[in-house]
Structures are given as structure tokens and as C-alpha cells.
Amino acid sequence: LLEQIRKVNFLLHKDIVTFNDNGDPLSSYNIIAWDWSGPNWTFRVIGSSLWSPVWLDINTIKIQWRGKDNQ
């Protein structure tokens, strides 16, 4: 699979997804979480990541835990 994924590229929500020789994606990503408030569930961005340079940022204040007292 890794041999083949290096050859793949595709369009995803107006962004091109490609992979390097190690099979790692060369894109940045938003990290999303369910938004449990209200009658309908939605998604919201709680962070982002980059591959070059490797970087991960998560806003822990935006994480909404599902349980008693938000635990």
C-alpha cells in the first residue's frame, strides 16, 4: 500500500492531497471535534497541524467533554 500511496494525489474540499516518499501527507489539517450543544450536532475546529515543519496546535479550551460536569 505504501508503494502505491506515494503516487496518489487528489482534490479534497479545494485542497490537493499528496504524499511524500515516506507516505506522509504534505498538507496541513484542521483538527475538528463534535459540538454537542443544541439539538443538532455540528463540528468545530479545535486545532490544526502541519507536516513541514511538523507542528500541532490544539486549543484545549475548545474541547467539550461529554459527561458529568464536562469531564
Short mmCIF file of all heavy atoms in Angstrom, two decimals:
data_model
loop_
_atom_site.label_atom_id
_atom_site.label_comp_id
_atom_site.label_asym_id
_atom_site.label_seq_id
_atom_site.Cartn_x
_atom_site.Cartn_y
_atom_site.Cartn_z
N LEU A 1 0.83 -1.19 0.00
CA LEU A 1 0.00 0.00 0.00
C LEU A 1 0.87 1.25 0.00
O LEU A 1 0.58 2.20 -0.72
CB LEU A 1 -0.93 -0.02 1.20
CG LEU A 1 -1.87 1.17 1.33
CD1 LEU A 1 -2.81 1.27 0.15
CD2 LEU A 1 -2.66 1.08 2.61
N LEU A 2 1.92 1.26 0.81
CA LEU A 2 2.78 2.44 0.90
C LEU A 2 3.40 2.76 -0.46
O LEU A 2 3.50 3.93 -0.84
CB LEU A 2 3.88 2.23 1.94
CG LEU A 2 4.77 3.42 2.25
CD1 LEU A 2 3.95 4.62 2.68
CD2 LEU A 2 5.77 3.05 3.33
N GLU A 3 3.78 1.75 -1.20
CA GLU A 3 4.36 1.97 -2.53
C GLU A 3 3.38 2.70 -3.44
O GLU A 3 3.75 3.59 -4.20
CB GLU A 3 4.74 0.63 -3.14
CG GLU A 3 5.36 0.73 -4.50
CD GLU A 3 5.71 -0.63 -5.06
OE1 GLU A 3 6.15 -1.49 -4.29
OE2 GLU A 3 5.51 -0.82 -6.27
N GLN A 4 2.10 2.37 -3.34
CA GLN A 4 1.08 2.97 -4.19
C GLN A 4 0.63 4.35 -3.70
O GLN A 4 0.33 5.23 -4.49
CB GLN A 4 -0.12 2.04 -4.31
CG GLN A 4 0.19 0.73 -5.01
CD GLN A 4 0.75 0.94 -6.40
OE1 GLN A 4 0.26 1.75 -7.18
NE2 GLN A 4 1.83 0.24 -6.71
N ILE A 5 0.58 4.54 -2.38
CA ILE A 5 0.07 5.82 -1.85
C ILE A 5 1.01 6.98 -2.22
O ILE A 5 0.57 8.12 -2.33
CB ILE A 5 -0.17 5.75 -0.33
CG1 ILE A 5 -1.17 6.83 0.09
CG2 ILE A 5 1.11 5.89 0.45
CD1 ILE A 5 -1.74 6.65 1.46
N ARG A 6 2.29 6.69 -2.42
CA ARG A 6 3.23 7.73 -2.83
C ARG A 6 2.87 8.32 -4.19
O ARG A 6 3.24 9.44 -4.51
CB ARG A 6 4.64 7.16 -2.89
CG ARG A 6 5.16 6.77 -1.54
CD ARG A 6 6.53 6.15 -1.67
NE ARG A 6 6.98 5.69 -0.36
CZ ARG A 6 7.66 4.59 -0.16
NH1 ARG A 6 8.00 3.81 -1.18
NH2 ARG A 6 8.03 4.25 1.05
N LYS A 7 2.12 7.58 -4.99
CA LYS A 7 1.76 8.01 -6.33
C LYS A 7 0.42 8.74 -6.37
O LYS A 7 0.04 9.29 -7.40
CB LYS A 7 1.67 6.80 -7.26
CG LYS A 7 2.95 6.00 -7.35
CD LYS A 7 2.71 4.76 -8.17
CE LYS A 7 3.90 3.82 -8.10
NZ LYS A 7 3.62 2.56 -8.81
N VAL A 8 -0.30 8.74 -5.25
CA VAL A 8 -1.67 9.26 -5.21
C VAL A 8 -1.67 10.77 -4.96
O VAL A 8 -0.89 11.28 -4.18
CB VAL A 8 -2.47 8.55 -4.10
CG1 VAL A 8 -3.83 9.20 -3.89
CG2 VAL A 8 -2.64 7.08 -4.40
N ASN A 9 -2.55 11.46 -5.64
CA ASN A 9 -2.89 12.84 -5.28
C ASN A 9 -4.34 13.04 -5.68
O ASN A 9 -4.82 12.47 -6.64
CB ASN A 9 -1.95 13.86 -5.93
CG ASN A 9 -2.03 13.87 -7.43
OD1 ASN A 9 -3.07 14.19 -7.99
ND2 ASN A 9 -0.95 13.52 -8.10
N PHE A 10 -5.05 13.82 -4.89
CA PHE A 10 -6.46 14.03 -5.16
C PHE A 10 -6.91 15.36 -4.57
O PHE A 10 -6.23 15.94 -3.73
CB PHE A 10 -7.32 12.87 -4.64
CG PHE A 10 -7.17 12.59 -3.16
CD1 PHE A 10 -8.00 13.19 -2.24
CD2 PHE A 10 -6.19 11.71 -2.72
CE1 PHE A 10 -7.86 12.93 -0.89
CE2 PHE A 10 -6.04 11.44 -1.37
CZ PHE A 10 -6.89 12.05 -0.45
N LEU A 11 -8.05 15.82 -5.03
CA LEU A 11 -8.64 17.07 -4.56
C LEU A 11 -9.64 16.76 -3.45
O LEU A 11 -10.49 15.88 -3.61
CB LEU A 11 -9.34 17.77 -5.73
CG LEU A 11 -9.85 19.18 -5.47
CD1 LEU A 11 -8.69 20.11 -5.16
CD2 LEU A 11 -10.60 19.69 -6.68
N LEU A 12 -9.50 17.46 -2.33
CA LEU A 12 -10.40 17.27 -1.20
C LEU A 12 -10.78 18.63 -0.66
O LEU A 12 -9.93 19.34 -0.10
CB LEU A 12 -9.72 16.43 -0.10
CG LEU A 12 -10.52 16.17 1.15
CD1 LEU A 12 -11.74 15.30 0.85
CD2 LEU A 12 -9.65 15.51 2.21
N HIS A 13 -12.02 19.03 -0.85
CA HIS A 13 -12.52 20.33 -0.39
C HIS A 13 -11.60 21.47 -0.85
O HIS A 13 -11.13 22.28 -0.07
CB HIS A 13 -12.67 20.36 1.13
CG HIS A 13 -13.60 19.34 1.66
ND1 HIS A 13 -14.96 19.43 1.51
CD2 HIS A 13 -13.37 18.17 2.31
CE1 HIS A 13 -15.53 18.37 2.06
NE2 HIS A 13 -14.59 17.59 2.55
N LYS A 14 -11.29 21.49 -2.13
CA LYS A 14 -10.49 22.54 -2.78
C LYS A 14 -9.01 22.51 -2.41
O LYS A 14 -8.27 23.43 -2.73
CB LYS A 14 -11.07 23.93 -2.50
CG LYS A 14 -12.48 24.11 -3.00
CD LYS A 14 -12.98 25.50 -2.71
CE LYS A 14 -14.44 25.64 -3.12
NZ LYS A 14 -14.96 26.96 -2.81
N ASP A 15 -8.55 21.47 -1.74
CA ASP A 15 -7.14 21.31 -1.41
C ASP A 15 -6.62 20.04 -2.08
O ASP A 15 -7.31 19.02 -2.10
CB ASP A 15 -6.92 21.18 0.10
CG ASP A 15 -7.17 22.48 0.84
OD1 ASP A 15 -6.79 23.54 0.31
OD2 ASP A 15 -7.74 22.43 1.94
N ILE A 16 -5.40 20.11 -2.59
CA ILE A 16 -4.79 18.93 -3.19
C ILE A 16 -4.06 18.14 -2.11
O ILE A 16 -3.26 18.69 -1.35
CB ILE A 16 -3.80 19.32 -4.31
CG1 ILE A 16 -4.56 20.01 -5.44
CG2 ILE A 16 -3.05 18.10 -4.82
CD1 ILE A 16 -3.67 20.56 -6.53
N VAL A 17 -4.35 16.85 -2.02
CA VAL A 17 -3.71 15.97 -1.06
C VAL A 17 -2.67 15.14 -1.80
O VAL A 17 -2.99 14.46 -2.77
CB VAL A 17 -4.74 15.04 -0.37
CG1 VAL A 17 -4.05 14.08 0.58
CG2 VAL A 17 -5.79 15.87 0.36
N THR A 18 -1.42 15.22 -1.36
CA THR A 18 -0.33 14.43 -1.93
C THR A 18 0.48 13.83 -0.78
O THR A 18 0.34 14.23 0.38
CB THR A 18 0.61 15.29 -2.80
OG1 THR A 18 1.12 16.35 -2.02
CG2 THR A 18 -0.13 15.87 -4.00
N PHE A 19 1.34 12.87 -1.11
CA PHE A 19 2.12 12.16 -0.11
C PHE A 19 3.60 12.18 -0.50
O PHE A 19 3.94 12.15 -1.68
CB PHE A 19 1.63 10.72 0.03
CG PHE A 19 0.20 10.63 0.46
CD1 PHE A 19 -0.82 10.64 -0.48
CD2 PHE A 19 -0.14 10.59 1.79
CE1 PHE A 19 -2.15 10.57 -0.09
CE2 PHE A 19 -1.47 10.52 2.19
CZ PHE A 19 -2.48 10.51 1.25
N ASN A 20 4.50 12.21 0.49
CA ASN A 20 5.93 12.20 0.21
C ASN A 20 6.42 10.75 0.08
O ASN A 20 5.63 9.81 0.12
CB ASN A 20 6.71 12.97 1.28
CG ASN A 20 6.68 12.32 2.64
OD1 ASN A 20 6.29 11.18 2.82
ND2 ASN A 20 7.12 13.07 3.65
N ASP A 21 7.73 10.58 -0.03
CA ASP A 21 8.31 9.25 -0.22
C ASP A 21 8.10 8.32 0.97
O ASP A 21 8.18 7.10 0.84
CB ASP A 21 9.80 9.35 -0.52
CG ASP A 21 10.07 9.94 -1.90
OD1 ASP A 21 9.15 9.91 -2.75
OD2 ASP A 21 11.19 10.43 -2.12
N ASN A 22 7.82 8.89 2.14
CA ASN A 22 7.54 8.07 3.33
C ASN A 22 6.06 7.74 3.46
O ASN A 22 5.66 7.05 4.39
CB ASN A 22 8.00 8.79 4.59
CG ASN A 22 9.49 8.93 4.66
OD1 ASN A 22 10.22 8.04 4.25
ND2 ASN A 22 9.95 10.05 5.15
N GLY A 23 5.22 8.29 2.58
CA GLY A 23 3.78 8.09 2.67
C GLY A 23 3.10 9.09 3.57
O GLY A 23 1.92 8.97 3.86
N ASP A 24 3.82 10.12 4.03
CA ASP A 24 3.23 11.14 4.88
C ASP A 24 2.54 12.19 4.02
O ASP A 24 3.05 12.58 2.97
CB ASP A 24 4.32 11.84 5.71
CG ASP A 24 5.01 10.90 6.67
OD1 ASP A 24 4.33 10.03 7.22
OD2 ASP A 24 6.23 11.05 6.86
N PRO A 25 1.38 12.67 4.45
CA PRO A 25 0.69 13.71 3.68
C PRO A 25 1.47 15.02 3.71
O PRO A 25 2.12 15.34 4.70
CB PRO A 25 -0.66 13.85 4.39
CG PRO A 25 -0.45 13.31 5.74
CD PRO A 25 0.66 12.30 5.65
N LEU A 26 1.41 15.76 2.62
CA LEU A 26 2.13 17.03 2.51
C LEU A 26 1.21 18.22 2.72
O LEU A 26 1.48 19.31 2.24
CB LEU A 26 2.81 17.12 1.13
CG LEU A 26 3.86 16.07 0.85
CD1 LEU A 26 4.37 16.20 -0.57
CD2 LEU A 26 5.00 16.18 1.85
N SER A 27 0.15 18.02 3.42
CA SER A 27 -0.85 19.06 3.61
C SER A 27 -0.93 19.47 5.07
O SER A 27 -0.39 18.82 5.95
CB SER A 27 -2.23 18.54 3.18
OG SER A 27 -2.20 18.07 1.88
N SER A 28 -1.65 20.54 5.31
CA SER A 28 -1.99 20.91 6.68
C SER A 28 -3.44 20.49 6.93
O SER A 28 -4.21 20.31 5.99
CB SER A 28 -1.83 22.41 6.88
OG SER A 28 -2.70 23.11 6.03
N TYR A 29 -3.79 20.31 8.18
CA TYR A 29 -5.12 19.83 8.52
C TYR A 29 -5.70 20.62 9.67
O TYR A 29 -4.98 21.05 10.57
CB TYR A 29 -5.08 18.35 8.92
CG TYR A 29 -4.68 17.46 7.79
CD1 TYR A 29 -3.36 17.10 7.59
CD2 TYR A 29 -5.63 17.01 6.89
CE1 TYR A 29 -2.99 16.30 6.53
CE2 TYR A 29 -5.27 16.21 5.83
CZ TYR A 29 -3.95 15.86 5.66
OH TYR A 29 -3.60 15.08 4.60
N ASN A 30 -7.01 20.77 9.65
CA ASN A 30 -7.73 21.27 10.81
C ASN A 30 -8.13 20.08 11.66
O ASN A 30 -8.50 19.03 11.13
CB ASN A 30 -8.99 22.04 10.42
CG ASN A 30 -8.67 23.41 9.89
OD1 ASN A 30 -7.68 24.01 10.26
ND2 ASN A 30 -9.53 23.92 9.04
N ILE A 31 -8.05 20.23 12.96
CA ILE A 31 -8.50 19.20 13.89
C ILE A 31 -9.89 19.61 14.35
O ILE A 31 -10.09 20.73 14.83
CB ILE A 31 -7.53 19.07 15.08
CG1 ILE A 31 -6.15 18.70 14.55
CG2 ILE A 31 -8.05 18.05 16.08
CD1 ILE A 31 -5.05 18.83 15.55
N ILE A 32 -10.84 18.73 14.16
CA ILE A 32 -12.23 19.07 14.46
C ILE A 32 -12.77 18.19 15.57
O ILE A 32 -12.25 17.12 15.84
CB ILE A 32 -13.13 18.95 13.21
CG1 ILE A 32 -13.12 17.53 12.66
CG2 ILE A 32 -12.72 19.94 12.15
CD1 ILE A 32 -14.16 17.28 11.61
N ALA A 33 -13.81 18.68 16.22
CA ALA A 33 -14.48 17.94 17.28
C ALA A 33 -15.98 18.16 17.14
O ALA A 33 -16.43 19.15 16.57
CB ALA A 33 -14.01 18.41 18.65
N TRP A 34 -16.73 17.21 17.66
CA TRP A 34 -18.18 17.38 17.70
C TRP A 34 -18.54 18.55 18.59
O TRP A 34 -17.97 18.72 19.65
CB TRP A 34 -18.85 16.14 18.28
CG TRP A 34 -18.89 14.95 17.39
CD1 TRP A 34 -18.08 13.86 17.46
CD2 TRP A 34 -19.79 14.71 16.32
NE1 TRP A 34 -18.41 12.97 16.49
CE2 TRP A 34 -19.47 13.46 15.77
CE3 TRP A 34 -20.82 15.44 15.75
CZ2 TRP A 34 -20.15 12.93 14.70
CZ3 TRP A 34 -21.50 14.90 14.68
CH2 TRP A 34 -21.17 13.67 14.16
N ASP A 35 -19.51 19.34 18.19
CA ASP A 35 -20.09 20.38 19.05
C ASP A 35 -21.40 19.82 19.55
O ASP A 35 -22.34 19.63 18.78
CB ASP A 35 -20.30 21.67 18.26
CG ASP A 35 -20.78 22.80 19.14
OD1 ASP A 35 -21.19 22.54 20.30
OD2 ASP A 35 -20.76 23.95 18.67
N TRP A 36 -21.46 19.50 20.83
CA TRP A 36 -22.61 18.81 21.41
C TRP A 36 -23.73 19.76 21.85
O TRP A 36 -24.75 19.32 22.34
CB TRP A 36 -22.17 18.01 22.64
CG TRP A 36 -21.16 16.97 22.34
CD1 TRP A 36 -19.81 17.16 22.31
CD2 TRP A 36 -21.38 15.61 22.02
NE1 TRP A 36 -19.19 15.97 21.99
CE2 TRP A 36 -20.13 15.01 21.82
CE3 TRP A 36 -22.53 14.84 21.89
CZ2 TRP A 36 -19.99 13.68 21.49
CZ3 TRP A 36 -22.39 13.50 21.57
CH2 TRP A 36 -21.14 12.93 21.36
N SER A 37 -23.53 21.06 21.73
CA SER A 37 -24.56 21.98 22.21
C SER A 37 -25.71 22.07 21.21
O SER A 37 -25.51 21.98 20.01
CB SER A 37 -23.95 23.37 22.45
OG SER A 37 -23.41 23.89 21.26
N GLY A 38 -26.91 22.27 21.73
CA GLY A 38 -28.08 22.41 20.86
C GLY A 38 -28.64 21.07 20.41
O GLY A 38 -28.09 20.02 20.70
N PRO A 39 -29.73 21.12 19.67
CA PRO A 39 -30.41 19.88 19.26
C PRO A 39 -29.67 19.16 18.12
O PRO A 39 -29.85 17.96 17.94
CB PRO A 39 -31.78 20.37 18.79
CG PRO A 39 -31.56 21.79 18.38
CD PRO A 39 -30.48 22.31 19.28
N ASN A 40 -28.87 19.88 17.35
CA ASN A 40 -28.14 19.26 16.23
C ASN A 40 -26.64 19.27 16.50
O ASN A 40 -26.09 20.28 16.93
CB ASN A 40 -28.41 20.02 14.93
CG ASN A 40 -29.88 20.01 14.57
OD1 ASN A 40 -30.55 18.98 14.67
ND2 ASN A 40 -30.39 21.15 14.16
N TRP A 41 -25.99 18.15 16.23
CA TRP A 41 -24.55 18.08 16.40
C TRP A 41 -23.88 18.72 15.20
O TRP A 41 -24.30 18.55 14.06
CB TRP A 41 -24.09 16.65 16.52
CG TRP A 41 -24.59 15.95 17.74
CD1 TRP A 41 -25.31 16.48 18.78
CD2 TRP A 41 -24.41 14.58 18.07
NE1 TRP A 41 -25.58 15.53 19.71
CE2 TRP A 41 -25.04 14.34 19.30
CE3 TRP A 41 -23.77 13.54 17.45
CZ2 TRP A 41 -25.04 13.10 19.92
CZ3 TRP A 41 -23.77 12.30 18.06
CH2 TRP A 41 -24.40 12.09 19.28
N THR A 42 -22.82 19.46 15.45
CA THR A 42 -22.03 20.06 14.39
C THR A 42 -20.55 19.83 14.69
O THR A 42 -20.20 19.26 15.72
CB THR A 42 -22.31 21.58 14.28
OG1 THR A 42 -21.99 22.19 15.53
CG2 THR A 42 -23.77 21.85 13.94
N PHE A 43 -19.71 20.26 13.79
CA PHE A 43 -18.27 20.19 14.00
C PHE A 43 -17.73 21.58 14.24
O PHE A 43 -18.25 22.56 13.74
CB PHE A 43 -17.57 19.62 12.76
CG PHE A 43 -17.95 18.21 12.45
CD1 PHE A 43 -18.78 17.92 11.39
CD2 PHE A 43 -17.45 17.16 13.21
CE1 PHE A 43 -19.11 16.62 11.08
CE2 PHE A 43 -17.78 15.86 12.92
CZ PHE A 43 -18.61 15.58 11.85
N ARG A 44 -16.64 21.66 15.00
CA ARG A 44 -15.93 22.92 15.13
C ARG A 44 -14.43 22.65 15.18
O ARG A 44 -14.00 21.59 15.63
CB ARG A 44 -16.39 23.71 16.33
CG ARG A 44 -16.11 23.09 17.65
CD ARG A 44 -16.63 24.01 18.72
NE ARG A 44 -16.86 23.22 19.92
CZ ARG A 44 -16.71 23.68 21.12
NH1 ARG A 44 -16.38 24.92 21.30
NH2 ARG A 44 -16.92 22.91 22.16
N VAL A 45 -13.68 23.61 14.70
CA VAL A 45 -12.23 23.47 14.65
C VAL A 45 -11.67 23.73 16.04
O VAL A 45 -11.95 24.75 16.65
CB VAL A 45 -11.63 24.46 13.62
CG1 VAL A 45 -10.11 24.40 13.65
CG2 VAL A 45 -12.16 24.18 12.23
N ILE A 46 -10.86 22.80 16.54
CA ILE A 46 -10.21 22.97 17.85
C ILE A 46 -8.70 23.05 17.74
O ILE A 46 -8.01 23.24 18.73
CB ILE A 46 -10.61 21.85 18.83
CG1 ILE A 46 -10.15 20.49 18.33
CG2 ILE A 46 -12.11 21.87 19.10
CD1 ILE A 46 -10.20 19.40 19.38
N GLY A 47 -8.17 22.88 16.52
CA GLY A 47 -6.73 22.95 16.35
C GLY A 47 -6.34 22.75 14.90
O GLY A 47 -7.19 22.67 14.02
N SER A 48 -5.03 22.66 14.66
CA SER A 48 -4.53 22.44 13.31
C SER A 48 -3.17 21.77 13.37
O SER A 48 -2.52 21.73 14.41
CB SER A 48 -4.44 23.77 12.55
OG SER A 48 -3.59 24.65 13.23
N SER A 49 -2.75 21.22 12.23
CA SER A 49 -1.44 20.57 12.16
C SER A 49 -0.80 20.87 10.82
O SER A 49 -1.47 21.13 9.83
CB SER A 49 -1.59 19.06 12.34
OG SER A 49 -2.24 18.50 11.23
N LEU A 50 0.52 20.83 10.81
CA LEU A 50 1.33 20.99 9.60
C LEU A 50 2.35 19.86 9.56
O LEU A 50 2.75 19.33 10.59
CB LEU A 50 2.08 22.32 9.62
CG LEU A 50 1.28 23.60 9.59
CD1 LEU A 50 2.21 24.79 9.83
CD2 LEU A 50 0.59 23.75 8.26
N TRP A 51 2.80 19.52 8.36
CA TRP A 51 3.81 18.47 8.22
C TRP A 51 5.20 19.04 8.00
O TRP A 51 6.20 18.39 8.28
CB TRP A 51 3.45 17.52 7.07
CG TRP A 51 2.35 16.62 7.47
CD1 TRP A 51 1.03 16.77 7.18
CD2 TRP A 51 2.43 15.46 8.28
NE1 TRP A 51 0.30 15.78 7.75
CE2 TRP A 51 1.14 14.94 8.44
CE3 TRP A 51 3.47 14.80 8.89
CZ2 TRP A 51 0.86 13.80 9.16
CZ3 TRP A 51 3.21 13.66 9.62
CH2 TRP A 51 1.91 13.18 9.75
N SER A 52 5.30 20.23 7.45
CA SER A 52 6.62 20.77 7.17
C SER A 52 6.65 22.25 7.50
O SER A 52 6.12 23.05 6.74
CB SER A 52 6.98 20.56 5.70
OG SER A 52 8.27 21.04 5.44
N PRO A 53 7.22 22.63 8.62
CA PRO A 53 7.77 21.76 9.66
C PRO A 53 6.64 21.12 10.46
O PRO A 53 5.51 21.62 10.47
CB PRO A 53 8.55 22.72 10.54
CG PRO A 53 7.85 24.03 10.39
CD PRO A 53 7.33 24.04 8.96
N VAL A 54 6.93 20.02 11.13
CA VAL A 54 5.91 19.32 11.91
C VAL A 54 5.46 20.23 13.04
O VAL A 54 6.26 20.76 13.81
CB VAL A 54 6.47 17.99 12.47
CG1 VAL A 54 5.46 17.33 13.39
CG2 VAL A 54 6.86 17.06 11.33
N TRP A 55 4.14 20.43 13.11
CA TRP A 55 3.58 21.34 14.08
C TRP A 55 2.16 20.89 14.41
O TRP A 55 1.40 20.52 13.52
CB TRP A 55 3.57 22.74 13.48
CG TRP A 55 3.00 23.81 14.35
CD1 TRP A 55 3.55 24.35 15.47
CD2 TRP A 55 1.77 24.50 14.15
NE1 TRP A 55 2.75 25.32 15.97
CE2 TRP A 55 1.64 25.43 15.18
CE3 TRP A 55 0.77 24.40 13.21
CZ2 TRP A 55 0.54 26.26 15.30
CZ3 TRP A 55 -0.33 25.23 13.32
CH2 TRP A 55 -0.43 26.16 14.36
N LEU A 56 1.81 20.91 15.68
CA LEU A 56 0.47 20.56 16.14
C LEU A 56 0.03 21.58 17.16
O LEU A 56 0.75 21.88 18.11
CB LEU A 56 0.48 19.16 16.77
CG LEU A 56 -0.83 18.69 17.40
CD1 LEU A 56 -1.91 18.51 16.33
CD2 LEU A 56 -0.62 17.40 18.16
N ASP A 57 -1.17 22.12 16.96
CA ASP A 57 -1.71 23.11 17.88
C ASP A 57 -3.15 22.73 18.19
O ASP A 57 -3.97 22.63 17.27
CB ASP A 57 -1.66 24.51 17.26
CG ASP A 57 -2.23 25.57 18.18
OD1 ASP A 57 -1.85 25.58 19.37
OD2 ASP A 57 -3.06 26.36 17.72
N ILE A 58 -3.45 22.49 19.45
CA ILE A 58 -4.81 22.17 19.88
C ILE A 58 -5.20 23.15 20.98
O ILE A 58 -4.48 23.31 21.97
CB ILE A 58 -4.93 20.73 20.40
CG1 ILE A 58 -4.57 19.75 19.28
CG2 ILE A 58 -6.34 20.46 20.92
CD1 ILE A 58 -4.57 18.31 19.70
N ASN A 59 -6.33 23.81 20.80
CA ASN A 59 -6.86 24.73 21.80
C ASN A 59 -7.72 23.92 22.76
O ASN A 59 -8.89 23.66 22.50
CB ASN A 59 -7.66 25.85 21.13
CG ASN A 59 -8.10 26.90 22.11
OD1 ASN A 59 -8.14 26.67 23.32
ND2 ASN A 59 -8.43 28.06 21.59
N THR A 60 -7.14 23.50 23.88
CA THR A 60 -7.83 22.62 24.82
C THR A 60 -9.07 23.26 25.43
O THR A 60 -9.97 22.56 25.88
CB THR A 60 -6.89 22.14 25.93
OG1 THR A 60 -6.33 23.28 26.60
CG2 THR A 60 -5.76 21.29 25.36
N ILE A 61 -9.12 24.58 25.44
CA ILE A 61 -10.30 25.28 25.97
C ILE A 61 -11.52 25.00 25.09
O ILE A 61 -12.65 24.97 25.57
CB ILE A 61 -10.02 26.79 26.09
CG1 ILE A 61 -8.94 27.02 27.15
CG2 ILE A 61 -11.28 27.57 26.43
CD1 ILE A 61 -8.42 28.43 27.21
N LYS A 62 -11.29 24.76 23.79
CA LYS A 62 -12.39 24.50 22.87
C LYS A 62 -12.90 23.06 22.92
O LYS A 62 -13.91 22.75 22.32
CB LYS A 62 -11.98 24.84 21.44
CG LYS A 62 -11.82 26.31 21.20
CD LYS A 62 -11.54 26.58 19.74
CE LYS A 62 -11.49 28.05 19.44
NZ LYS A 62 -11.27 28.28 18.00
N ILE A 63 -12.20 22.17 23.63
CA ILE A 63 -12.64 20.78 23.71
C ILE A 63 -13.81 20.69 24.68
O ILE A 63 -13.72 21.13 25.83
CB ILE A 63 -11.50 19.85 24.17
CG1 ILE A 63 -10.37 19.88 23.15
CG2 ILE A 63 -12.02 18.44 24.38
CD1 ILE A 63 -9.13 19.12 23.58
N GLN A 64 -14.89 20.14 24.21
CA GLN A 64 -16.08 19.99 25.03
C GLN A 64 -16.24 18.51 25.36
O GLN A 64 -16.58 17.70 24.51
CB GLN A 64 -17.30 20.51 24.27
CG GLN A 64 -18.56 20.53 25.08
CD GLN A 64 -19.71 21.10 24.27
OE1 GLN A 64 -19.72 21.04 23.05
NE2 GLN A 64 -20.68 21.67 24.96
N TRP A 65 -15.96 18.14 26.60
CA TRP A 65 -16.04 16.75 27.01
C TRP A 65 -17.49 16.36 27.25
O TRP A 65 -18.28 17.16 27.74
CB TRP A 65 -15.21 16.52 28.27
CG TRP A 65 -13.77 16.85 28.07
CD1 TRP A 65 -13.13 17.97 28.47
CD2 TRP A 65 -12.82 16.05 27.37
NE1 TRP A 65 -11.82 17.93 28.08
CE2 TRP A 65 -11.60 16.77 27.40
CE3 TRP A 65 -12.86 14.83 26.72
CZ2 TRP A 65 -10.44 16.28 26.81
CZ3 TRP A 65 -11.70 14.34 26.14
CH2 TRP A 65 -10.51 15.06 26.18
N ARG A 66 -17.84 15.16 26.89
CA ARG A 66 -19.21 14.68 27.05
C ARG A 66 -19.30 13.87 28.32
O ARG A 66 -18.81 12.76 28.41
CB ARG A 66 -19.60 13.83 25.85
CG ARG A 66 -21.04 13.46 25.80
CD ARG A 66 -21.88 14.67 25.53
NE ARG A 66 -23.24 14.28 25.30
CZ ARG A 66 -24.24 15.10 25.39
NH1 ARG A 66 -24.05 16.36 25.68
NH2 ARG A 66 -25.45 14.70 25.17
N GLY A 67 -19.88 14.43 29.35
CA GLY A 67 -20.03 13.71 30.60
C GLY A 67 -20.44 14.66 31.70
O GLY A 67 -20.64 15.87 31.49
N LYS A 68 -20.55 14.13 32.90
CA LYS A 68 -20.96 14.93 34.05
C LYS A 68 -19.95 16.03 34.30
O LYS A 68 -18.75 15.80 34.35
CB LYS A 68 -21.09 14.04 35.28
CG LYS A 68 -21.61 14.77 36.49
CD LYS A 68 -21.75 13.85 37.67
CE LYS A 68 -22.27 14.65 38.84
NZ LYS A 68 -22.36 13.84 40.04
N ASP A 69 -20.40 17.26 34.45
CA ASP A 69 -19.58 18.43 34.72
C ASP A 69 -18.48 18.62 33.68
O ASP A 69 -17.37 19.04 34.00
CB ASP A 69 -18.95 18.34 36.12
CG ASP A 69 -20.01 18.32 37.21
OD1 ASP A 69 -21.06 18.99 37.04
OD2 ASP A 69 -19.81 17.62 38.23
N ASN A 70 -18.77 18.27 32.42
CA ASN A 70 -17.84 18.45 31.32
C ASN A 70 -16.53 17.67 31.52
O ASN A 70 -15.47 18.10 31.11
CB ASN A 70 -17.56 19.94 31.09
CG ASN A 70 -17.10 20.23 29.68
OD1 ASN A 70 -17.40 19.49 28.75
ND2 ASN A 70 -16.37 21.31 29.52
N GLN A 71 -16.60 16.53 32.21
CA GLN A 71 -15.41 15.71 32.48
C GLN A 71 -15.32 14.56 31.50
O GLN A 71 -16.26 13.99 31.12
CB GLN A 71 -15.45 15.17 33.90
CG GLN A 71 -15.47 16.26 34.94
CD GLN A 71 -14.19 17.08 34.98
OE1 GLN A 71 -13.10 16.50 34.95
NE2 GLN A 71 -14.31 18.38 35.01
#
